[in-house]
Amino acid sequence: MSFDYINALQKKPTSRTPIWVMRQAGRYLPEYRATRKQAGDFMSLCKNKELACEVTMQPIDRFDLDAAILFSDILTIPDAMGLGLYFSKGEGPKFSNPIKTLKDIENLPIDVNDDLSYVFDAVSTIKTALNNRVPLIGFSGSPWTLATYMIEGGSSKTFANTKKMLFNEPKALHLLLDKLADSVIVYLNQQILSGADSVMVFDTWGGVLSKQNYLDFSLNYMAKIVKGVKAQHPNTPITLFSKNGGKHLTHIADTGCDGIGIDWTVELNVVQAEVGDKVAIQGNLDPAVMYATPEIIEQEVKKVLSQFKGNTGHIFNLGHGITPDVDPENMQVLVDCVHQFSKR
Ligand code: CP3
């Protein structure tokens, strides 16, 4: 089996630039909204392997995408650790038992794979449904990003409690991050055993840290994850994505990961000059381009493609997730443009 997506990550020849899109299965698709309604709520959708498989396949059936991504969420691990995840309308994810003290951290279980069997069941169900059409990406959140949700009790603009712990009780935060890294390692390894062909770590909030704190509190633990996954699965590509991580790319590339995800605030040619041949690069169209006309989308796709030098090592993606109010027709335009203008 030879897939452009895997080949690009491994710097092997590709027939064209592969593309997948973060949040490709989601609310911009009417068929997603219908299945979500049938499931009742978001977590019930994640926990039902047939429905999770159905929504994973929806964008694959509709567009000529080069990879599927497991339909799940990064907050499955803290939920399995007992924090009580729920989604409140308009406010996003919430935890009923957020982390407050060192004692809370000490009491957290590490290997929660038994409670996450629904994720591994979804992976193997999707793998069978894909029937090798395209590879399957598994994922988790980064320890730092998971810790922010666990300590804040949900989304945050300031990360006040997490940063308070970072400065006042760094040892407690390091213990939490280290436990999370160990949980993520066994979680990703089990996703791979269940059928994931590559894995990605989403570090949505690494970019809110100063350089040294990013290295110590975020990248350090992602590097541990890369090591722990590579020890079990040396040939499975790993991508690290720190949103707003443009200033840290050489350090990210030094972790031994195979790919780095970049957002639209850095230019591909600049990134390529910095990281050289060490890693593949995933990105990085501004997600807001998806609101523009087909002509503008085409023009912006050509710009991104022309910034990358070489015939492999680029995986086209948006710089962050596709937003719920995008017209699905524009996704078609995006995928077709990337393939058409990158034919070798
Ligand atoms: O990319 C994909 O298609 C795979 C599925 C996926 C989801 N969430 C589905 C989802 C992935 C990879 C995630 C990751 C995730 N979840 C992140 C990292 C994202 C990144 O790009 O940096 C974060 C921060 C979360 C936590 C979370 N889950 C948030 C903030 C939300 C949005 C809440 C809202 O009301 O908008 C979710 C819910 C969620 N996860 C949705 C989807 C499709 C929307 C749920 C719905 O209402 O149907």
Side-chain angles (χ1 to χ4, degrees), residues 46 48-57 60 68-72 118-137 194-195:
C46 293
N48 180 317
K49 64 181 179 191
E50 273 82 28
L51 295 184
C53 175
E54 187 178 305
V55 293
T56 301
M57 297 301 291
I60 304 301
I69 181 162
L70 161 70
F71 189 83
S72 188
Y118 67 90
V119 176
F120 312 125
D121 289 345
V123 171
S124 48
T125 306
I126 296 162
K127 185 70 183 167
T128 305
L130 279 170
N131 195 20
N132 282 324
R133 268 164 75 186
V134 292
L136 176 60
I137 305 168
S194 307

Side-chain angles (χ1 to χ4, degrees), residues 20-27 32 36 41-42 45-46 69-75 87-93 139 141 145 149 155 200 202-205 241 243 320-321 324:
W20 73 278
V21 171
M22 290 185 270
R23 295 279 176 98
Q24 64 191 17
R27 284 172 289 191
Y32 170 83
R36 161 96 154 62
D41 61 76
F42 173 68
L45 180 51
C46 293
I69 181 162
L70 161 70
F71 189 83
S72 188
D73 200 79
I74 63 166
L75 301 177
F87 284 82
S88 70
K89 224 177 162 58
E91 290 182 86
F139 70 90
T145 293
Y149 286 96
S155 302
M200 172 159 165
F202 286 85
D203 184 32
T204 312
W205 302 120
F241 171 62
K243 176 136 189 295
H320 205 202

Side-chain angles (χ1 to χ4, degrees), residues 144-145 203-210 214 218 242-246 248:
W144 164 255
T145 293
D203 184 32
T204 312
W205 302 120
V208 305
L209 291 168
S210 69
Y214 172 77
S218 182
S242 282
K243 176 136 189 295
N244 252 306
H248 316 302

Side-chain angles (χ1 to χ4, degrees), residues 6-295:
I6 298 290
N7 289 338
L9 278 168
Q10 298 178 334
K11 302 288 187 81
K12 292 176 186 160
T14 52
S15 63
R16 56 191 188 181
T17 302
I19 171 172
W20 73 278
V21 171
M22 290 185 270
R23 295 279 176 98
Q24 64 191 17
R27 284 172 289 191
Y28 75 106
L29 289 176
E31 59 269 37
Y32 170 83
R33 297 195 296 270
T35 312
R36 161 96 154 62
K37 202 167 170 190
Q38 187 190 336
D41 61 76
F42 173 68
M43 279 315 284
S44 305
L45 180 51
C46 293
K47 289 183 178 179
N48 180 317
K49 64 181 179 191
E50 273 82 28
L51 295 184
C53 175
E54 187 178 305
V55 293
T56 301
M57 297 301 291
Q58 284 168 351
I60 304 301
D61 290 337
R62 209 195 237 256
F63 312 109
D64 189 15
L65 291 158
D66 293 282
I69 181 162
L70 161 70
F71 189 83
S72 188
D73 200 79
I74 63 166
L75 301 177
T76 51
I77 285 181
D79 185 44
M81 287 176 161
L83 270 66
L85 173 66
Y86 64 98
F87 284 82
S88 70
K89 224 177 162 58
E91 290 182 86
K94 296 263 186 214
F95 287 113
S96 39
N97 316 305
I99 297 286
K100 293 206 168 74
T101 64
L102 175 62
K103 196 106 214 108
D104 294 339
I105 295 170
E106 285 168 347
N107 287 338
L108 287 175
I110 292 176
D111 183 341
V112 283
N113 275 0
D114 281 352
D115 290 304
L116 293 168
S117 56
Y118 67 90
V119 176
F120 312 125
D121 289 345
V123 171
S124 48
T125 306
I126 296 162
K127 185 70 183 167
T128 305
L130 279 170
N131 195 20
N132 282 324
R133 268 164 75 186
V134 292
L136 176 60
I137 305 168
F139 70 90
S140 83
S142 75
W144 164 255
T145 293
L146 294 177
T148 66
Y149 286 96
M150 294 167 78
I151 297 168
E152 304 299 330
S155 302
S156 173
K157 286 205 168 75
T158 59
F159 306 97
N161 297 312
T162 317
K163 289 196 170 182
K164 198 180 196 177
M165 189 183 286
L166 185 155
F167 291 113
N168 288 345
E169 299 174 90
K171 281 205 179 114
L173 184 55
H174 277 302
L175 178 64
L176 174 58
L177 295 168
D178 199 53
K179 290 180 97 167
L180 283 168
D182 288 337
S183 312
V184 169
I185 289 168
V186 294
Y187 184 53
L188 290 179
N189 277 328
Q190 193 59 41
Q191 288 187 30
I192 295 167
L193 289 175
S194 307
D197 299 290
S198 97
V199 290
M200 172 159 165
V201 180
F202 286 85
D203 184 32
T204 312
W205 302 120
V208 305
L209 291 168
S210 69
K211 174 122 205 159
Q212 196 58 50
N213 285 338
Y214 172 77
L215 297 177
D216 295 345
F217 291 89
S218 182
L219 190 61
N220 181 34
Y221 295 97
M222 290 200 283
K224 183 176 184 182
I225 292 167
V226 172
K227 234 174 138 186
V229 173
K230 286 286 174 192
Q232 301 280 317
H233 299 101
N235 300 321
T236 304
I238 304 189
T239 300
L240 301 182
F241 171 62
S242 282
K243 176 136 189 295
N244 252 306
K247 293 195 174 69
H248 316 302
L249 298 173
T250 51
H251 296 283
I252 302 175
D254 283 340
T255 59
C257 67
D258 302 271
I260 53 174
I262 59 170
D263 65 29
W264 62 99
T265 62
V266 282
E267 281 166 314
L268 263 178
N269 52 334
V270 176
V271 174
Q272 213 182 358
E274 265 181 58
V275 300
D277 273 343
K278 227 179 228 173
V279 288
I281 305 169
Q282 172 179 290
N284 70 339
L285 191 73
D286 182 343
V289 170
M290 299 302 281
Y291 296 131
T293 61
E295 293 72 28

